[in-house]
């Protein structure tokens, strides 16, 4: 069987602190990092987009600040992250540069994946980086995030990134090879190779955090699984103990797969159709209705009128002959949308500037009802 990882077109790889940072010396495990980057290059060469979510800032920075051991207070972790993030970014940039790949650092907070405007901007930046062949290296912006607005763990952050970027495979590399029915050191604990749905029984299998560094544990991985699966993204929990951890997954080494029951696009369309209440209406002509039926994007030329007040990224109803037949996430604020009613794309750009979107609603953001 070809590994699900091999089939993925957009892979998000989350690396835990315990794998990347040597606990004794507090320095990067360079050989391991290098072997992982070899694996990432292989995925890229095979045609996949790769996004990294890397922990390790706190673990790398704490020693330099004289906070080598013990549990840190929030402000101490944040100070350690401020120091360690420099070394972390440098290590990734250097390892990727050696393979002629450009690394890009992105530091995000919870709000960046929750608030619409920031979400859209983060998504646009990441998409541009991927289109240019760069590898984004993401971490939480630990230094500014206060306790209320922190993810605190990169498992869920990685799942949010996977969801935001319509990833089809999220790989959580950690110090355990997958999910067990009970703590793995307990007699009778069974390895779970495949999960199709995250039921209360599955949640009950997740115990307490086990590693000394990092903040994850199985519970946050299961939380990540919920986010990924509902976004149509498969997730795999695999051990990163040995060199070439992704190659090992491809070669069929033991790991736990969480399988999404629909793909990212289907989930996204379901979300647009069902979860979001439309806040505006676009009346379109018959030509536009036919074009949308064929899977095209909605262009301003086909729009006759705009109703309601909405912002870029809001959900709007698309109407023809007085009836709603489609729904989508609009790429313009209501005021701008009104200005471009009936205009050809070239005239839209003349009016609103060349950096505005080409479509009023992109086909990926549009669902027929
Ligand atoms: N953002 C933290 C760091 O880079 C790690 C969070 C986690 O381990 O999940 O140190």
């Amino acid at each position: 069987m070809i590994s699900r990882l091999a089939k993925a077109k957009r892979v998000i790889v989350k690396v835990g602190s315990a794998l990347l940072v040597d606990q004794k010396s507090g320095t990067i495990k360079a050989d391991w990092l290098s072997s992982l980057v070899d694996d990432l290059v292989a995925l890229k060469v095979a045609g996949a987009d790769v996004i990294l979510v890397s922990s390790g800032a706190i673990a790398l920075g704490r020693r330099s600040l004289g906070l080598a051991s013990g549990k840190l207070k929030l402000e101490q972790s944040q100070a350690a992250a401020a120091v360690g993030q420099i070394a972390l970014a440098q290590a990734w940039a250097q390892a990727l540069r050696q393979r002629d790949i450009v690394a890009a650092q992105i530091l995000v907070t919870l709000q960046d994946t929750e608030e619409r405007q920031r979400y859209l901007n983060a998504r646009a930046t990441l998409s541009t980086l991927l289109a240019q062949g760069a590898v984004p290296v993401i971490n939480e912006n630990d230094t500014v995030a206060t306790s209320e607005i922190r993810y605190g763990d990169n498992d869920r952050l990685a799942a949010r990134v996977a969801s935001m970027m319509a990833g089809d495979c999220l790989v959580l590399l950690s110090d355990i090879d997958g999910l067990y029915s009970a703590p793995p050191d307990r007699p009778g604990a069974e390895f779970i190779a495949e999960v199709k749905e995250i039921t209360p029984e599955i949640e009950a299998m997740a115990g307490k955090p086990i590693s000394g560094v990092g903040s994850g544990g199985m519970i946050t991985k299961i939380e990540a699984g919920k986010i990924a699966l509902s976004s149509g993204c498969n997730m795999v929990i695999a051990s990163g103990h040995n060199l070439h951890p992704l190659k090992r997954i491809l070669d069929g080494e033991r790991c736990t797969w969480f399988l999404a029951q629909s793909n990212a696009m289907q989930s996204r369309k379901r979300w647009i159709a069902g979860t979001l209440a439309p806040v505006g209406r676009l009346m379109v002509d018959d030509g536009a209705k036919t074009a949308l039926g064929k899977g095209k994007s909605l262009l301003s030329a086909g729009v006759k009128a705009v109703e309601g007040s909405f912002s870029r990224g809001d959900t709007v109803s698309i109407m023809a002959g007085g009836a709603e037949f489609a729904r989508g996430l609009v790429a313009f604020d209501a005021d701008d949308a009104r200005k471009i009613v009936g205009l050809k794309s070239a005239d839209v750009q003349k009016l609103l500037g060349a950096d505005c979107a080409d479509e009023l609603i992109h086909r990926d953001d549009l669902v027929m009802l």
Side-chain angles (χ1 to χ4, degrees):
M1 189 188 74
I2 302 178
S3 167
R4 295 174 183 110
L5 176 56
K7 287 193 215 149
K9 293 267 162 281
R10 183 164 283 178
V11 183
I12 291 79
V13 181
K14 184 259 170 176
V15 180
S17 302
L19 301 177
L20 204 56
V21 183
D22 183 78
Q23 267 198 74
K24 282 206 198 90
S25 65
T27 56
I28 291 271
K29 295 184 191 168
D31 288 350
W32 185 84
L33 178 71
S34 174
S35 81
L36 171 62
V37 171
D38 283 341
D39 292 359
L40 295 175
V41 172
L43 290 179
K44 259 176 88 63
V45 168
D49 289 333
V50 175
I51 299 174
L52 276 161
V53 175
S54 176
S55 304
I58 297 167
L60 279 172
R62 57 187 297 168
R63 189 171 293 254
S64 315
L65 285 181
L67 301 165
S69 59
K71 195 166 161 34
L72 299 181
K73 291 196 210 124
L74 178 62
E75 62 272 22
Q76 289 176 323
S77 312
Q78 295 187 299
V83 174
Q85 184 62 35
I86 299 174
L88 185 62
Q90 239 165 24
W92 283 113
Q94 189 187 354
L96 287 160
R97 198 183 310 118
Q98 280 166 358
R99 281 93 174 163
D100 291 326
I101 296 174
V102 174
Q105 172 183 259
I106 309 216
L107 300 178
V108 295
T109 59
L110 189 59
Q111 288 160 314
D112 296 317
T113 58
E114 281 188 343
E115 273 176 31
R116 194 188 51 242
Q117 268 327 315
R118 296 167 74 149
Y119 171 101
L120 290 172
N121 285 339
R123 194 176 68 171
T125 306
L126 282 164
S127 301
T128 306
L129 288 167
L130 293 175
Q132 297 304 120
V135 169
V137 182
I138 303 177
N139 195 2
E140 181 160 17
N141 196 350
D142 288 309
T143 52
V144 297
T146 60
S147 46
E148 304 80 53
I149 58 152
R150 282 191 93 221
Y151 277 103
D153 67 84
N154 278 359
D155 294 323
R156 285 178 305 163
L157 170 63
R160 285 288 183 86
V161 169
S163 162
M164 173 165 81
M165 297 308 294
D168 42 18
C169 186
L170 167 62
V171 183
L172 299 183
L173 292 177
S174 76
D175 45 7
I176 186 157
D177 58 355
L179 178 68
Y180 290 77
S181 61
D185 51 0
R186 253 200 237 149
E190 276 174 35
F191 186 79
I192 315 279
E194 214 170 88
V195 175
K196 291 210 169 84
E197 193 190 349
I198 299 179
T199 58
E201 291 73 44
I202 296 289
E203 287 183 83
M205 292 174 188
K208 290 255 148 40
I210 44 172
S211 68
V213 289
S215 54
M218 198 47 76
I219 297 168
T220 65
K221 291 179 180 38
I222 299 294
E223 290 301 321
K226 286 189 200 164
I227 298 168
L229 263 46
S230 69
S231 313
C233 178
N234 291 329
M235 182 177 96
V236 56
I237 300 176
S239 165
H241 264 312
N242 297 309
L243 299 183
H244 296 290
L246 300 179
K247 182 171 182 304
R248 286 168 187 276
I249 299 174
L250 291 167
D251 291 346
E253 198 162 281
R254 186 160 98 163
C255 52
T256 300
W257 279 96
F258 292 73
L259 300 176
Q261 300 308 304
S262 58
N263 66 34
M265 193 51 81
Q266 288 162 340
S267 306
R268 182 168 167 73
K269 298 226 163 177
R270 210 173 38 235
W271 173 67
I272 293 170
T275 333
L276 306 163
V279 289
R281 311 204 299 176
L282 307 179
M283 320 303 160
V284 307
D285 61 24
D286 289 343
K289 185 176 178 189
T290 311
L292 299 195
K294 290 184 184 150
K296 298 261 160 52
S297 297
L298 178 65
L299 304 178
S300 47
V303 178
K304 298 196 291 188
V306 173
E307 278 180 10
S309 80
F310 49 83
S311 307
R312 181 167 83 94
D314 276 341
T315 311
V316 293
S317 297
I318 305 168
M319 323 272 297
E324 182 188 34
F325 70 93
R327 222 169 247 195
L329 306 180
V330 65
F332 292 81
D333 294 341
D335 288 347
D336 283 344
R338 280 195 183 88
K339 284 187 207 147
I340 62 173
V341 162
L343 294 189
K344 298 229 162 58
S345 300
D347 296 326
V348 172
Q349 301 213 333
K350 266 186 223 145
L351 192 70
L352 298 178
D355 60 346
C356 72
D358 290 333
E359 309 86 3
L360 200 51
I361 301 182
H362 188 272
R363 59 193 158 85
D364 290 350
D365 294 335
L366 207 143
V367 54
M368 302 298 284
L369 301 175

